């Protein structure tokens, strides 16, 4: 049996745009209307069904819930906050607390208010004043939550939106990309100053496990380089005031982090390329069976990631970890095996404080639309009926007891890790 320490949070995660529905004020909606993205429409209709979602969490025995505030919903127009929306978010926090579920709040989870995006979003430093107003609004109106993340996966946002051009505003411009990254660090600094003290302020980093494609010196260097650029440069920027971008180095304000979140999903292999603009090619590591996202599964990566991030000396949370599959037995195996490695990290003295499965419910998976099913709970997108899968109950058992039983370990585990 594997026992997690008292107070270790076992919960689930979602984000506003992916579950709420009708976020008509957000840039993703704007671009969906113009045919560039799948439409989120009513999504899981969680804006109306949030009480049901929380009831389910409580019934299933989950101890924590990470969710986000939709900036465009609380600021649908420049300078005009929507009080009712703010009250709803406060209501969600209150309900969670009443149910004994620890809330964790994210302020930016990929989407922007359309008006802010059309002004150039985070490309323009001058726009950070609007971010400041948003953060102040949160400080003045939200309470009952301790853990607040400024940004979800800032590097994923930068790369998908400004390097690969797959997400709004669909740019392929590395120079602009690193400037946006530097501005996100500045935005974090603004938020940290406003929020730290009232909340414990952290950031959520996506951390793929990168391995060199071959044993060659060049591939090994390339893997190290991307590990720095993608996994660490932004954190170092926040903590040291020097941000090493893709091409240039930026001076940014030295700021702080009260905790660090890690989203871990997959393992990728890195190959060196002879192209000064690109330098490396990254692809799925192709080990074993692939999930419905086309990702390879490597449970040991959650341990490697926690170990690498422990060097920052901060309390760590696995803020997302999950699998897109219709094979729910595989989901159970995925959870048990990743938790085995989280447990290993804790046993070695790493300061891990929680684990959030992505996701509580099936939801809108960005440019992939509704096809990938990450949920512990199945959603019928016609009726919005929620049906807990077997994995939802099994994870509930783990969460309620704070332990993984011998029976589960025998059936789904990896033996000694
Ligand atoms: C992460 C995102 C989250 C979800 C999962 C599958 O990168 O933070 O919104 O889409 O991937």
């Amino acid at each position: 049996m594997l026992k997690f320490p008292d107070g270790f949070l076992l919960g689930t995660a979602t984000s506003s745009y992916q579950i709420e529905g009708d976020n008509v004020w957000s840039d993703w909606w704007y671009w969906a209307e113009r045919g560039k993205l799948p439409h989120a429409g009513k999504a899981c209709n969680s804006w109306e069904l949030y009480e049901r979602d929380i009831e389910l969490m409580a019934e299933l025995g989950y101890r924590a819930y990470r969710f986000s505030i939709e900036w465009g919903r609380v600021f649908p127009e420049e300078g005009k906050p929507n009080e009712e929306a703010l009250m709803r978010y406060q209501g969600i926090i209150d309900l969670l607390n009443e149910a004994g579920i620890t809330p964790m709040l994210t302020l930016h989870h990929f989407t922007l208010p359309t008006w802010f995006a059309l002004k150039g979003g985070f490309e323009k430093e001058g726009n950070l004043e609007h971010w400041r107003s948003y953060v102040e609004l949160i400080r003045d109106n939200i309470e009952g939550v301790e853990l607040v993340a400024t940004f979800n996966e800032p590097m994923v946002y930068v790369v998908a939106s400004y390097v690969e051009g797959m997400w709004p505003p669909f740019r392929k411009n590395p120079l602009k990309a690193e400037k946006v990254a530097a501005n996100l660090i500045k935005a974090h600094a603004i938020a940290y100053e406003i929020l730290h003290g009232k909340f414990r302020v952290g950031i959520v980093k996506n951390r793929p496990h990168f391995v060199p494609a071959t044993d060659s010196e060049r591939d090994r260097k390339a893997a190290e380089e991307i590990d720095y650029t993608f996994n660490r440069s932004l954190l170092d920027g926040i903590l040291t005031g020097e941000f090493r971008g893709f091409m240039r180095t930026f001076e940014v304000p030295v700021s702080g982090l009260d905790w660090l979140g890690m989203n871990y999903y997959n393992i990728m292999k890195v190959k060196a390329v002879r192209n000064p603009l690109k330098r490396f090619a990254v692809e799925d590591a192709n080990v074993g069976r692939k999930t419905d996202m086309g990702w390879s599964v490597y449970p040991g990566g959650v341990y490697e990631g926690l170990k690498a991030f422990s060097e920052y000396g901060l309390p760590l949370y696995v803020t997302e970890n999950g699998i897109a599959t219709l094979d729910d037995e595989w989901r159970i195996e995925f959870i048990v095996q990743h938790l085995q490695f989280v447990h290993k990290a804790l046993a070695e003295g790493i300061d891990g404080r929680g684990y959030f499965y992505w996701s509580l419910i099936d939801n809108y998976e960005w440019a992939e639309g509704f096809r990938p099913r990450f949920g512990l709970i199945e959603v019928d997108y016609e009726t919005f009926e929620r049906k807990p899968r077997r994995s939802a109950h099994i994870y509930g058992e783990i969460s309620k007891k704070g332990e993984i039983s011998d029976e589960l370990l025998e059936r789904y585990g990896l033996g000694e890790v």
Side-chain angles (χ1 to χ4, degrees), residues 48-67:
E48 281 160 25
L49 299 179
Y50 67 101
E51 285 165 322
R52 178 74 194 123
D53 291 344
I54 297 172
E55 216 173 76
L56 277 166
M57 282 178 232
E59 278 168 24
L60 289 161
Y62 306 154
R63 299 282 191 220
Y65 181 52
R66 171 174 176 244
F67 69 107

Side-chain angles (χ1 to χ4, degrees), residues 281-332:
V282 186
E283 55 181 66
D284 182 78
N286 217 353
V287 290
R289 184 176 172 193
K290 292 199 188 187
T291 72
D292 290 349
M293 293 296 281
W295 295 344
S296 286
V297 174
Y298 176 64
V302 75
Y303 165 79
E304 302 285 344
L306 287 170
K307 208 157 93 172
F309 275 177
S310 72
E311 283 168 25
Y312 287 102
L314 296 164
L316 301 175
Y317 294 84
V318 178
T319 33
E320 289 179 27
N321 174 237
I323 181 170
T325 180
L326 291 174
D327 177 354
D328 197 47
E329 283 291 295
W330 193 16
R331 189 180 333 275
I332 300 170

Side-chain angles (χ1 to χ4, degrees), residues 8 40 100 103 107 121 129-130 140 157 184 186 197 199 226 231 245-246 259 265 310 343 367 390 406 413:
F8 185 84
L107 299 187
E129 281 317 300
H130 301 296
D140 296 341
Y157 171 71
L184 294 181
K186 292 174 191 170
F199 307 113
I226 189 157
N231 289 340
F246 310 122
W259 56 271
Y265 287 93
S310 72
H343 188 273
R390 205 170 96 83
D406 282 337

Side-chain angles (χ1 to χ4, degrees), residues 15 18 66 109-110 152-153 156 167 206 263 265 293 295 320 358 363-366 374:
S15 91
Q18 292 175 276
R66 171 174 176 244
H109 198 121
F110 299 151
N152 176 70
E153 302 190 343
V156 170
W167 289 1
N206 174 286
N263 292 354
Y265 287 93
M293 293 296 281
W295 295 344
E320 289 179 27
W358 182 276
N363 60 52
Y364 173 79
E365 178 47 38
W366 307 113
F374 277 94

Side-chain angles (χ1 to χ4, degrees), residues 36-204:
K36 297 270 280 181
L37 293 168
H39 230 303
K42 282 221 153 281
C44 312
N45 198 19
S46 284
W47 188 251
E48 281 160 25
L49 299 179
Y50 67 101
E51 285 165 322
R52 178 74 194 123
D53 291 344
I54 297 172
E55 216 173 76
L56 277 166
M57 282 178 232
E59 278 168 24
L60 289 161
Y62 306 154
R63 299 282 191 220
Y65 181 52
R66 171 174 176 244
F67 69 107
S68 73
I69 291 189
E70 190 71 12
W71 181 3
R73 198 185 271 281
V74 300
F75 256 122
E77 284 175 62
E78 184 178 344
K80 291 201 184 138
N82 174 349
E83 301 240 337
E84 224 174 288
L86 275 166
M87 277 167 60
R88 166 64 56 81
Y89 287 116
Q90 185 58 55
I92 291 174
I93 292 170
D94 294 342
L95 267 188
L96 288 167
N97 284 325
E98 280 162 31
I101 300 166
T102 304
M104 176 190 272
L105 197 63
T106 308
L107 299 187
H108 177 264
H109 198 121
F110 299 151
T111 55
L112 301 173
T114 301
W115 60 264
F116 178 81
L118 295 179
K119 277 175 185 285
F122 286 109
E123 292 168 41
K124 299 217 175 90
E125 197 174 338
N127 286 349
L128 295 182
E129 281 317 300
H130 301 296
W131 164 258
R132 179 188 293 280
S133 309
Y134 168 49
V135 176
E136 285 173 349
L137 190 74
I138 299 303
R139 178 199 57 200
D140 296 341
N141 291 278
I142 295 293
E143 59 191 22
V145 52
E146 201 189 342
L147 298 162
V148 175
T150 52
F151 289 96
N152 176 70
E153 302 190 343
M155 264 302 170
V156 170
Y157 171 71
V158 166
V159 170
S161 302
Y162 290 96
V163 179
E164 292 171 347
M166 314 257 296
W167 289 1
F170 309 101
R171 304 266 195 278
K172 287 189 181 179
N173 182 340
L175 279 172
K176 197 164 261 182
E178 60 177 8
K179 186 160 177 241
V180 171
N183 284 339
L184 294 181
I185 296 174
K186 292 174 191 170
H188 174 87
I190 291 172
Y192 190 81
E193 201 184 305
I194 296 171
L195 302 177
H196 168 75
K198 173 160 185 179
F199 307 113
R200 285 174 57 220
V201 183
I203 201 162
V204 168

